Amino acid sequence: AEEKKVTLVANSIGTMSSLQSIIDEPQLYNGCFVINPNFRELHMAEVPLSPIAMPLVRQIQSLLRNKGHGLFQTLATKETVTEILKEPYSVTEAIDEELVDVLLTPLLTEGADE
């Protein structure tokens, strides 16, 4: 039987995992439709008043990279990820243990908070 390829639809932080899936297993996919991607760094064109806001954003990012390890460890839990997912997901029943694990596992790898 011929296997059908699928098109991924990626939103927000799901963009990175969707693109990685395509890189890892390109034979399974015929494309990816990206909506509102959220990558780690902000692009200054997307920030209002970017000449003023971006230096502040960069300072906060730097502070979190250098001093935010405790905060990261506190937030990188199943409970916190589940609660965060309730914001964009109107159907909270879709937030199951598998989804939380897919998002949380990379956060728990050594060095993820650096």
Side-chain angles (χ1 to χ4, degrees), residues 44-56:
M44 62 185 296
E46 298 173 357
V47 177
L49 304 171
S50 64
I52 297 167
M54 285 311 291
L56 179 60

Side-chain angles (χ1 to χ4, degrees), residues 10-75:
N11 181 40
S12 190
I13 63 171
T15 300
M16 292 305 290
S17 57
S18 295
L19 295 175
Q20 187 62 54
S21 296
I22 292 171
I23 289 169
D24 292 346
E25 302 288 340
Q27 73 280 3
L28 299 177
Y29 307 100
N30 58 22
C32 183
F33 182 73
V34 177
I35 306 166
N36 192 27
N38 183 359
F39 300 110
R40 188 169 196 170
E41 297 291 329
L42 293 173
H43 190 279
M44 62 185 296
E46 298 173 357
V47 177
L49 304 171
S50 64
I52 297 167
M54 285 311 291
L56 179 60
V57 168
R58 297 289 183 229
Q59 286 295 323
I60 292 169
Q61 289 174 329
S62 177
L63 176 67
L64 289 173
R65 280 191 198 99
N66 295 322
K67 306 282 184 187
H69 303 290
L71 178 62
F72 181 88
Q73 295 297 327
T74 301
L75 296 177

